[in-house]
Amino acid sequence: ANAIYNPLNLKGTFWETGELYVKKESELPQDPDDLLPLLRDTLRSLEALDSYVLDGKFDDLSRQLRGGSISESQLRLRGYALLDQLPDESKDAYVAEQSWRVFLNRFANLDATVEAAVRQAKIDGGLVE
């Protein structure tokens, strides 16, 4: 009797509870001294993925890059939060922002390359040259 009118049988928070979904605020540290270690941990996680490449385990590498040991969304949130702490007009802020953009571009290229290798390995029956 108290069920939400849902003629299309849609799934999701609103349709199941009748309440609008409200995204919770991210609990990122405000102090740059707290953000840097989080970004360094991500860097160490990226460096640890070398063995997947050397062993040709592209499927495993893809899983690690897409939420396994690396969370791109958390990486972006933390990086931008750190950039937001820098004074807007400083040369260092400009250099940091440009370096961050280069990193994100290379990260996207890495992800796309790994995904292409995964697809090619499936086509080739697991052989990647």
Side-chain angles (χ1 to χ4, degrees):
N2 290 337
I4 305 297
Y5 178 69
N6 185 1
L8 299 176
N9 198 26
L10 300 173
K11 301 291 181 195
T13 302
F14 177 76
W15 295 108
E16 293 174 6
T17 66
E19 301 290 323
L20 290 176
Y21 173 77
V22 177
K23 184 177 179 182
K24 296 176 184 168
E25 287 295 317
S26 175
E27 295 183 17
L28 286 174
Q30 296 299 318
D31 186 356
D33 291 334
D34 295 332
L35 282 168
L36 278 173
L38 297 173
L39 289 167
R40 285 189 184 116
D41 289 345
T42 302
L43 177 62
R44 281 191 286 278
S45 294
L46 277 169
E47 290 170 344
L49 299 178
D50 284 350
S51 63
Y52 290 103
V53 175
L54 296 174
D55 295 338
K57 297 180 179 179
F58 299 111
D59 202 29
D60 293 337
L61 176 58
S62 177
R63 279 194 290 277
Q64 292 301 313
L65 285 175
R66 293 176 170 234
S69 60
I70 309 291
S71 168
E72 184 179 354
S73 63
Q74 286 299 311
L75 177 63
R76 285 177 179 273
L77 286 171
R78 292 169 181 166
Y80 283 121
L82 186 60
L83 287 175
D84 287 344
Q85 302 294 325
L86 298 174
D88 288 336
E89 301 301 321
S90 74
K91 180 182 177 185
D92 292 337
Y94 176 79
V95 170
E97 186 175 316
Q98 295 308 312
S99 298
W100 179 242
R101 287 182 179 169
V102 168
F103 170 78
L104 289 177
N105 190 354
R106 290 183 179 169
F107 187 85
N109 288 339
L110 171 65
D111 184 50
T113 302
V114 169
E115 281 305 301
V118 168
R119 283 192 303 276
Q120 189 63 43
K122 289 179 182 175
I123 292 170
D124 294 342
L127 299 174
V128 176
E129 295 180 17

